[in-house]
Amino acid sequence: MSTLTLFQNATHWRTGERVTIAVEDGVVVPIPRRGHEHARVLDARGAVLAPGLVDLHVHLREPGQSAKETIDSGTRAAAAGGFTAVACMPNTVPAVDSPAWVEWVRHRTGNAAHARVYPIAAVTVGQKGGQLAPLMAMARAGAVAFSDDGHPVASAAMMRRALEYARPTGLPIVCHEEDPELRGEGVMNEGFTATRLGLRGIPGAAESVMCRRDVDLAELTGGRVHLAHLSTAQSFETLRDARRRGLPVTGETCPHYWILTDEAVGDYDTNAKMNPPLRTAEDVRACIAAIADGTVDCLVTDHAPHTPDEKNRPFSEAPFGVVGLETALALTITFLVEPGHVSLARAIELWTAAPRRIFDLPEVDLEPGSVADLVLFDPRSEWTVNPKLFYSKGRATPFAGWTVRGRVLATMMGGRFTHLAPDVEFEHQLVLPAGAAT
């Protein structure tokens, strides 16, 4: 016997209207005109109901690095953050650079069940930049994009070939933009804070010159380029120019780039060490402007967990990367919506419909017939970020102890709850026996 779930008195994410949404057998259904003998009702008054969030840039660390994260723990963290789908990067051990490994990820994630997982395959064999991976075969195996994320495709000639081979698949190449020689041995943004700490800096140009190169190659080849985790004013301007010219180029950015500057490194705090590094106040302003004017196509977390032992090393030796799945929605509401940079509806679109369009993922909505991948959240509820409570194995976040607004109450994937806040309660109602007149 199927169970009917009713979200009563919820606020529709796009229209702002108070609605009741019914879910049965994994899909959104019309409000029943007859009773249902197995119904559970959630009074969602004051909460917003939206399609489940989608993150196109997540590191789940399997295969090979399960001490950092597993597909199970990573997707559990995703569900806690309101995500019903993530795309996972291929910089695992070994790298996902063959059809067999793409199929392995799909099989493995099929059993994880906390969120839908879409594998991104490597551009080059082993992500080493020397030999092109079998892009067409990996696309047939289920890859949704290609990337050597964690590393740039340093050779322009190799990048051109990759775009030419990827074009028939219709899939984008997600570009980790970093000129290796300009980066050198840098560990944080080049500037006053790096000088004060005696650390080697990474200039913003290490990112922006590669962005310009790959936009030019997209124009040359007609291949799709997706610029990953953008952080500099020059990179946003390059993306803006590509959009003006109608090139097949899209771009993303992450919460830490619209909130923090390199001063967050403080006194060698590895919780603020990520790649690209935190930049300047001018770059933060440019990031917000690019989101607000529609230059940035979607938002991502770049969720990159590491073990506490790794992040407790000296700053120059600790790995790049912080977690983000469980704080993304609250950071978006607190630092983009509440200051008025974007509306709540636009913010939700940047985490839902927009990423689905970029990777050509199935559409999700609140209309009858849509798969029931949903998130219910209270946009006004305040909470304090406590990494000890994360479901992710990773604990490194620059937002520990911060008070933020916007709390996920429930996440549903395919009609099944994958996350419920402790205070969410249902009313189980025997409405009327099925078939009886209302």
Side-chain angles (χ1 to χ4, degrees):
M1 181 70 69
S2 62
T3 297
L4 178 74
T5 302
L6 291 177
F7 295 89
Q8 279 190 340
N9 302 311
T11 300
H12 192 290
W13 72 280
R14 183 189 293 120
T15 67
E17 297 174 333
R18 186 170 295 184
V19 296
T20 294
I21 299 295
V23 173
E24 189 173 25
D25 293 332
V27 298
V28 178
V29 297
I31 304 299
R33 300 182 63 181
R34 296 179 182 273
H36 199 291
E37 58 184 316
H38 294 277
R40 57 185 176 185
V41 180
L42 196 161
D43 185 356
R45 197 181 308 270
V48 175
L49 188 64
L53 310 186
V54 180
D55 191 344
L56 299 186
H57 197 138
V58 169
H59 299 268
L60 294 179
R61 303 303 192 196
E62 281 194 285
Q65 297 174 305
S66 57
K68 297 172 183 280
E69 191 76 289
T70 64
I71 290 170
D72 181 74
S73 64
T75 55
R76 182 66 187 87
F83 292 89
T84 56
V86 299
C88 60
M89 287 296 175
N91 57 335
T92 49
V93 182
V96 178
D97 61 0
S98 70
W101 277 117
V102 172
E103 290 169 0
W104 184 91
V105 172
R106 293 186 64 196
H107 174 75
R108 183 82 169 174
T109 56
N111 298 326
H114 302 301
R116 303 182 197 279
V117 178
Y118 297 96
I120 299 172
V123 177
T124 61
V125 175
Q127 295 189 299
K128 296 180 179 177
Q131 178 183 350
L132 200 62
L135 305 186
M136 182 64 77
M138 294 192 295
R140 292 195 188 105
V144 295
F146 307 109
S147 181
D148 276 357
D149 187 54
H151 309 279
V153 179
S155 163
M158 177 62 73
M159 188 65 184
R160 174 182 180 173
R161 284 187 59 204
L163 285 166
E164 290 171 342
Y165 276 81
R167 187 175 58 187
T169 72
L171 304 184
I173 292 183
V174 182
C175 300
H176 175 111
E177 302 295 29
E178 181 180 56
D179 184 289
E181 294 187 356
L182 276 176
R183 172 193 158 179
E185 300 299 321
V187 294
M188 68 169 294
N189 186 55
E190 183 177 272
F192 174 79
T193 302
T195 301
R196 177 177 65 83
L197 297 175
L199 296 172
R200 293 182 178 179
I202 304 173
E207 174 182 307
S208 59
V209 297
M210 291 288 274
C211 287
R212 174 58 64 185
R213 182 202 75 173
D214 290 336
V215 166
D216 288 347
L217 290 175
E219 183 175 30
L220 175 67
T221 65
R224 292 180 59 196
V225 162
H226 182 69
L227 304 175
H229 42 45
L230 296 180
S231 69
T232 75
Q234 293 84 356
S235 299
F236 293 117
E237 189 54 42
T238 297
L239 176 59
R240 187 174 287 114
D241 179 60
R243 292 178 65 89
R244 274 197 297 261
R245 294 158 60 193
L247 300 179
V249 178
T250 52
E252 63 181 40
T253 192
C254 315
H256 34 271
Y257 300 126
W258 73 68
I259 300 172
L260 300 171
T261 69
D262 56 1
E263 293 181 359
V265 172
D267 291 323
Y268 306 100
D269 184 0
T270 60
N271 292 313
K273 183 178 180 181
M274 62 282 287
N275 191 14
L278 298 172
R279 302 293 189 181
T280 68
E282 178 187 356
D283 294 312
V284 170
R285 288 192 291 271
C287 181
I288 292 171
I291 295 169
D293 70 12
T295 296
V296 168
D297 296 89
C298 73
L299 308 179
V300 300
T301 66
D302 192 8
H303 178 85
H306 296 283
T307 67
D309 285 346
E310 289 173 314
K311 292 299 278 187
N312 285 334
R313 294 173 185 168
F315 192 91
S316 59
E317 300 174 17
F320 294 101
V322 297
V323 296
L325 285 167
E326 294 170 73
T327 55
L329 179 60
L331 294 174
T332 303
I333 292 171
T334 306
F335 295 98
L336 285 182
V337 176
E338 292 207 336
H341 301 305
V342 296
S343 67
L344 181 61
R346 175 59 179 159
I348 296 303
E349 184 183 17
L350 287 166
W351 282 113
T352 54
R356 289 182 179 280
R357 283 195 298 270
I358 294 168
F359 276 14
D360 196 25
L361 304 181
E363 294 183 4
V364 174
D365 207 334
L366 304 187
E367 298 301 315
S370 172
V371 64
D373 284 7
L374 307 172
V375 59
L376 182 72
F377 63 94
D378 182 346
R380 292 178 293 277
S381 179
E382 285 190 350
W383 57 286
T384 301
V385 177
N386 182 355
K388 293 180 180 178
L389 301 180
F390 285 169
Y391 290 93
S392 170
K393 288 188 175 184
R395 297 287 185 270
T397 171
F399 304 108
W402 286 40
T403 298
V404 292
R405 190 172 295 213
R407 187 168 66 96
V408 175
L409 302 176
T411 307
M412 171 179 276
M413 182 183 69
R416 178 174 62 83
F417 284 104
T418 52
H419 175 77
L420 282 173
D423 54 339
V424 172
E425 296 182 353
F426 295 98
E427 294 180 22
H428 292 273
Q429 296 184 2
L430 178 61
V431 180
L432 280 174
T438 58

